[in-house]
Each structure stands twice: as structure tokens, then as C-alpha cells.
Amino acid sequence: MKVFSKFILLIALAVPALGQVSVPPMKIKQRTLDNGLKFVSVQDKANPVVTVQVWYRVGGKDDPVGKSGFAHMFEHMMFKATKNMPNEMMDRITEDVGGWNNASTREDLTNYYEVIPSNYLETLLWAESDRMVNLSVDAGNFKSERDVVMEEYRQSVLAQPYGQLFQYMDSLTFTSHPYKRGVIGNLEELSAATLEDAFAFYRQYYRPDNASLIVVGDFDESQLEKWVDKYFGRLKNPSTPISRDYPKEPEKTEAKLFEVTSKNVPLPALAMTYLAPPSDSADTAALDVARSVLAGGESSRLYQEIVYKRQIAQDVSMFNDFRSENGYLAFFAISSGTGSPASIEKVILAELKRLQDEGPTEKELRKVKNSLVTNILDRREDVNGKAVAIGNAIIYQNDATAVNRDVAALQAVTADDVKRVVEKYLRPEGRTSIYYTQEKAK
């Protein structure tokens, strides 16, 4: 029945005569505990599973100065021992009962999430509350997890042909904001971190008033409320306030070009970025539509022009990295061997100008909206996807219920909206271009 319903939904999205899709809102319940913890829940009894997620407002931008990668390293440490749990117990109380767990760190957040059979809900609520305040920040755990993150850096950045280019996109796009440091860090600054730094970081950011607890799935509402009060309501906050004094990134007034090299670059590549508006801007929906028109798959304008017609690149993409303060709108392309970064950039700029002048066609607009809405609904098919959408709404839009308005926002975007945001944010003087090529042998 579920597959059939989804098939009908896709038909509705693809046929304009059926009109816009009406999406039932998630029935979100939320409250703030006396200690400042935000608690959000959505009951979903479709399957006997539940997700427990804790989203902290701490990420790469909060790394200590000169010690980038710290928030990411600390994410790893949170899976170690606490006052009441031995090392790796989070794996045992999830994986050994048929569930799973994971975590991620971004510029603005660190989140932890588990999906387990619903009869283990109380256990996971206790465990998450315990590691929020009782983590064992000791020398052994600190060294082992720092080594893990350093090896991750070697594999995902140094060993990958274009790994360092994505770091340059942060460090060269931003000049003042700590977003320029990225999230994964680097070997030198990870090595500079100390155990004392780790303990101070934990006491500063891992606390109830800096966290949102999200529970979605099969649960009894009355019982859940009692458990949340029992395990999280008793937690205390540190006496020191959290500092949020981030330098503001200045507006760009002239285009910049950087030419960088690396030993492991099979083919030249281009990265091109522009500052994005804050993630709670009303313009993000129109920018997502613009991105899809330009580079949303093989039928998009840039893919057709650069990869198929001119054959100067083997791939081209655009992604909108919205963050709490700014973020960036980025183009990325790898040469086919015949095109240079400069020639690829020239075509992208011409297509930007054409979209700015003419806007998308009605056919393009309908196609990309259908695709974007379908992707949103597909990601929310299970309890984890629903909770992740709520967490993103809390962090990036400061409102859990914003998750119920994003589909309507996309459907309301017009061709004129697309033209306006391309002209406003993808300005020639706001461009940062990076030509990434093979380092010449000496």
C-alpha cells in the first residue's frame, strides 16, 4: 500500500493538471524544559521503531582558535565512556538490539542519532542524557579519537584527488568568519589540541540549554513526557554563558581568482563560489530552484552545455551550502581533458547571465519543483528522515515547525523570483574562483 501511495504521489507531482501537492503537516509537539533544553516530538506508529536525536548548537565555527577540527574530534569522543557507561556501550545498546547510531558535525551543529525498536526508547533517553553531562574526558579517549580524526583527514582530504580543493573553498571564500576554517581541520591544528582544551570545550557547549532533543516514532506520549522529565529535567547547566561573538563576513566587492596546485590532480578542476544569505532567509527556496535549473542533473543547463555539447568537462554541479550566518553558493567542475578551468568558468558565467536575463522556462520551473519536492518527501519516508528535517529546521531556521512550510515555499517560487535571486547573490563582483591543477614536477 505504501509503494502504491508513493507511486500516485509521483504521478501527481509530474502532471501539472493535478495542481500543487498538498502535504499533511507533521504533528509536532514541543516544549522547553526549565534547564533550557528544547524537546520536540512527533508520534508515528507506522512501524515499531523510534529515533532519539540530540542536536547541539556547536560546530566547526566554534573550534578553539588555531585548533580547527576540534568539534569534529569531540563528536568521536562522545561515543566513549561516561560516568555510567563503558567504552562503546552506545553501540551495544543500539546495534545489539537491531538498531543503529551515528553522528555528524557541520559548521553550525553536531548531532547524535539512534534508531531502535521502540521498546528500547527509555534506555536511549537515559544514555543520551548521561553522555550530555557525564562524559569521561580522559587522556586515553582523547588520544585515540584524535588519531582517528587525523587518519580520516589523511584519507578524505590528502588521499583524494580533489579533497583539498573543498578545503580551499572554505578558506578562500571566507576572510573573517570562522567558517573559513572548515570542519575537518588539519593535521597541524589537530596535533595542537590538548586534553585541557577538550574538557573546556565539553563544559562550554555540551549542556541542556544548547541542545534540542528530538524523538520521532512509535511511543506513548504520556510516558515519553515522563521519561524526558526524569532523565533530562534533572540536568544542570554550567554557570558560564556561551559566547556567540562571531566576526561578520564582509560583503564582497570584487571578483577574486586563486590558482592552486596539488600533487594528486588527474585533471584540472574549477570551483566557483558566492556568499549565500543566512539559512533563515526567505530567498533560499528560489536559490534552490535556480541551482536545479542550472545543474540539477544531466538534463540541466550546465550539464547539457558543458558536458554534452562542448565536452570540456566530464562533470559539473552546483550546491547551495546554507549556514546560519552565510555559507556559499558553489559551482564545481572537473575538466574532460580538453577544457581548462578558465574555459569552463566562461561558459558557467554565460549561463548565469542568461538565467538572470531570461529566467527559467515554465517547463524547467515545473520540472525542478517536482524534483525538489519529491526529494523532500522521499527523505521523510522514515522516522529518522522526519527527525533530521526537524533538526535542520531548528538549527537553520530557528523554528521546528518550519519543516511544515518548505514544500509550500518551493511551490510558490516564480520565474521572476529565480531571476531576482540570481541577480542579487550571483553577482560578478561577488565571485571567488579557484583553478585547481596538477603541481608541476620540479
Side-chain angles (χ1 to χ4, degrees):
M1 182 65 180
K2 183 176 180 182
V3 173
F4 180 75
S5 298
K6 189 172 180 181
F7 178 69
I8 295 297
L9 172 61
L10 293 176
I11 292 176
L13 286 168
V15 181
L18 295 180
Q20 292 186 333
V21 174
S22 177
V23 181
M26 293 190 208
K27 295 180 179 179
I28 295 172
K29 293 186 65 176
Q30 56 183 323
R31 65 184 173 99
T32 301
L33 278 59
D34 289 343
N35 56 18
L37 177 79
K38 293 178 176 59
F39 169 46
V40 182
S41 65
V42 175
Q43 190 180 59
D44 179 355
K45 289 183 170 290
N47 294 293
V49 296
V50 65
T51 181
V52 176
Q53 306 196 1
V54 182
W55 291 58
Y56 293 89
R57 286 186 181 272
V58 58
K61 68 183 180 185
D62 302 296
D63 288 340
V65 176
K67 296 167 185 178
S68 61
F70 203 93
H72 177 210
M73 180 191 70
F74 209 86
E75 170 209 319
H76 286 249
M77 288 190 65
M78 281 286 281
F79 286 89
K80 308 305 286 185
T82 72
K83 178 181 178 182
N84 301 300
M85 293 189 291
N87 279 343
E88 319 304 338
M89 185 170 174
M90 286 300 293
D91 291 336
R92 303 285 64 77
I93 61 178
T94 52
E95 296 171 4
D96 289 1
V97 299
W100 56 273
N101 67 74
N102 212 329
S104 68
T105 306
R106 286 177 251 166
E107 290 79 10
D108 299 307
L109 68 93
T110 307
N111 61 350
Y112 302 86
Y113 42 102
E114 302 86 37
V115 177
I116 36 89
S118 50
N119 55 316
Y120 290 94
L121 173 58
E122 182 180 9
T123 302
L124 266 296
L125 291 171
W126 166 78
E128 282 290 10
S129 70
D130 190 50
R131 66 175 173 176
M132 183 180 287
V133 295
N134 289 324
L135 190 70
S136 298
V137 184
D138 59 38
N141 289 339
F142 173 75
K143 183 181 184 304
S144 69
E145 298 316 299
R146 183 173 64 177
D147 289 346
V148 168
V149 173
M150 292 172 74
E151 183 59 28
E152 186 176 330
Y153 176 86
R154 295 184 184 97
Q155 292 184 15
S156 63
V157 177
L158 298 182
Q160 298 298 320
Y162 303 98
Q164 289 177 286
L165 176 55
F166 288 94
Q167 286 207 308
Y168 283 124
M169 290 167 71
D170 283 314
S171 63
L172 299 178
T173 298
F174 297 99
T175 60
S176 301
H177 196 281
Y179 284 151
K180 66 184 178 181
R181 300 182 303 208
V183 172
I184 197 170
N186 60 58
L187 297 179
E188 181 180 354
E189 295 199 2
L190 284 167
S191 298
T194 67
L195 179 61
E196 291 72 22
D197 294 329
F199 187 76
F201 189 85
Y202 180 57
R203 301 312 302 168
Q204 175 80 343
Y205 295 108
Y206 282 76
R207 46 199 282 173
D209 62 354
N210 198 42
S212 295
L213 169 67
I214 305 168
V215 180
V216 177
D218 176 32
F219 55 78
D220 177 270
E221 290 185 355
S222 176
Q223 182 62 75
L224 174 62
E225 294 285 344
K226 292 176 182 177
W227 283 336
V228 169
D229 287 335
K230 177 180 179 180
Y231 296 114
F232 289 91
R234 65 187 178 183
L235 305 183
K236 308 293 184 184
N237 287 306
S239 58
T240 55
I242 298 175
S243 173
R244 302 288 189 192
D245 186 22
Y246 307 114
K248 185 174 177 60
E249 184 65 26
E251 184 176 348
K252 295 188 181 299
T253 57
E254 62 175 326
K256 298 284 188 180
L257 170 62
F258 298 92
E259 299 185 50
V260 295
T261 62
S262 183
K263 295 179 180 178
N264 184 24
V265 184
L267 292 165
L270 165 73
M272 200 167 76
T273 67
Y274 301 80
L275 289 180
S279 54
D280 61 357
S281 167
D283 287 338
T284 58
L287 284 166
D288 278 336
V289 171
R291 173 189 58 78
S292 290
V293 170
L294 287 165
E298 295 185 8
S299 63
S300 65
R301 291 188 178 190
L302 288 177
Y303 204 96
Q304 287 290 317
E305 187 69 21
I306 295 175
V307 178
Y308 283 135
K309 181 179 176 181
R310 298 175 184 264
Q311 298 183 9
I312 56 176
Q314 60 174 285
D315 192 24
V316 60
S317 60
M318 179 184 180
F319 55 93
N320 294 343
D321 188 351
F322 297 118
R323 304 176 187 177
S324 294
E325 277 80 44
N326 280 115
Y328 53 66
L329 316 170
F331 295 89
F332 173 70
I334 299 174
S335 171
S336 62
T338 59
S340 65
S343 65
I344 296 170
E345 179 183 38
K346 183 178 180 180
V347 179
I348 293 176
L349 294 177
E351 287 298 325
L352 275 178
K353 184 66 167 58
R354 185 163 76 91
L355 185 59
Q356 176 185 321
D357 292 343
E358 303 172 6
T361 65
E362 282 303 313
K363 182 179 178 181
E364 285 178 316
L365 202 60
R366 185 169 64 248
K367 181 192 74 171
V368 301
K369 284 185 185 182
N370 289 346
S371 177
L372 289 167
V373 171
T374 301
N375 288 339
I376 288 175
L377 300 181
D378 187 60
R379 289 195 298 268
R380 298 178 190 176
E381 281 284 293
D382 58 24
V383 296
N384 181 67
K386 289 181 175 71
V388 167
I390 291 170
N392 282 323
I394 291 171
I395 298 295
Y396 294 116
Q397 295 173 280
N398 299 301
D399 180 5
T401 65
V403 73
N404 288 328
R405 300 188 292 273
D406 53 4
V407 169
L410 279 171
Q411 291 178 328
V413 172
T414 66
D416 285 341
D417 290 331
V418 174
K419 291 172 62 177
R420 176 182 57 81
V421 297
V422 170
E423 182 176 6
K424 181 177 180 179
Y425 298 105
L426 300 168
R427 299 173 293 105
E429 65 271 23
R431 183 174 72 253
T432 299
S433 300
I434 306 169
Y435 296 175
Y436 191 66
T437 57
Q438 175 78 38
E439 181 179 303
K440 294 181 179 180
K442 297 180 180 179

